[in-house]
């Protein structure tokens, strides 16, 4: 599908569709979509081939505002958009099959962007990562919550949504409230 050097040949959406049609059956399911693209080693200057403009890059104040930095940020954006495209296809598939409103969808990143003062650092760009949940039965849409949370909160949240009690010693708290 893509020729960018940093883009995997893995068709994430097709893997998801295969899982849904050939593995899942009629049982509840759990599917983890983890992409590798935006973990560096992306293709330098792929932003040019993808129609991006240096002027559109948003450079955080802690990085030098230079063309090389802007290009690097846009190369990163190209790979995030690849993830977004496959996620969009998965959500459309769930909607087409009537499963979307009955599926908890959690979208997050495991760390900050791979730039200085971000990934693996305790600065804002290292700890403030994307997190979105879609589950119409429990979460009203369009809501923004500024409370800090951690990945330890995911298991208690999923268990609570399924009405399964958390085991003894489980870390984290349910986000349902």
């Amino acid at each position: 599908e893509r020729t960018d050097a940093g883009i995997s040949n893995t068709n994430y959406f097709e893997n998801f569709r295969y899982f849904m049609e050939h593995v899942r059956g009629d049982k509840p399911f759990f599917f983890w979509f983890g992409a590798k693209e935006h973990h560096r080693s992306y293709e330098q200057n792929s932003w040019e081939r993808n129609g991006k403009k240096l002027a559109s890059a948003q450079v955080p104040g802690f990085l030098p505002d230079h063309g090389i930095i802007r290009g690097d940020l846009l190369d990163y954006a190209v790979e995030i958009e690849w993830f977004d495209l496959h996620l969009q296809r998965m959500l459309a598939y769930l909607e087409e099959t009537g499963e979307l409103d009955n599926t908890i969808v959690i979208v997050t990143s495991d760390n900050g962007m791979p730039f200085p003062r971000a990934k693996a650092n305790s600065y804002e760009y290292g700890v403030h990562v994307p997190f979105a949940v879609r589950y119409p039965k429990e979460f009203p849409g369009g809501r923004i919550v500024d409370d800090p949370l951690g990945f330890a909160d995911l298991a208690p949240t999923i268990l609570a949504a399924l009405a399964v009690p958390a085991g003894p010693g489980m870390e984290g708290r349910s986000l349902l409230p």
Side-chain angles (χ1 to χ4, degrees):
E1 289 185 22
R2 292 286 291 269
T3 60
D4 304 64
I7 301 288
S8 168
N9 288 329
T10 302
N11 188 322
Y12 301 112
F13 167 68
E14 287 301 329
N15 287 347
F16 176 70
R17 180 167 40 197
Y18 181 87
F19 169 81
M20 292 297 287
E21 294 174 0
H22 300 285
V23 177
R24 174 193 174 207
D26 61 352
K27 299 178 222 154
F29 69 94
F30 175 86
F31 186 89
W32 187 288
F33 164 38
K36 75 159 198 77
E37 280 74 19
H38 43 282
H39 284 87
R40 271 289 173 191
S41 74
Y42 27 84
E43 181 183 346
Q44 187 174 11
N45 298 325
S46 62
W47 62 271
E48 292 176 307
R49 189 173 51 265
N50 286 279
K52 299 201 173 299
K53 305 289 181 219
L54 282 180
S56 68
Q58 295 180 7
V59 181
F62 58 85
L63 292 175
D65 191 350
H66 187 276
I68 292 173
I69 302 297
R70 286 178 169 273
D72 207 28
L73 288 165
L74 292 173
D75 291 339
Y76 176 55
V78 165
E79 306 217 357
I80 291 171
E81 289 169 357
W82 183 245
F83 171 90
D84 290 350
L85 173 66
H86 284 268
L87 176 61
Q88 180 182 18
R89 289 174 180 170
M90 291 174 193
L91 293 173
Y93 176 87
L94 287 170
E95 187 169 32
E96 289 166 15
T97 60
E99 294 287 349
L100 184 59
D101 286 342
N102 193 37
T103 302
I104 301 170
V105 178
I106 300 171
V107 181
T108 188
S109 173
D110 59 350
N111 50 50
M113 64 182 192
F115 289 82
R117 277 187 69 116
K119 184 177 181 175
N121 285 277
S122 294
Y123 296 112
E124 180 68 12
Y125 278 73
V127 296
H128 190 174
V129 298
F131 182 82
V133 177
R134 185 187 191 285
Y135 188 45
K137 289 182 179 180
E138 294 289 340
F139 295 110
R143 198 168 144 219
I144 296 174
V145 179
D146 292 323
D147 296 350
L149 60 97
F151 289 128
D153 299 325
L154 293 180
T157 300
I158 293 167
L159 290 174
L162 299 173
V164 174
M170 178 171 275
E171 298 290 326
R173 60 183 167 74
S174 170
L175 303 173
L176 286 185

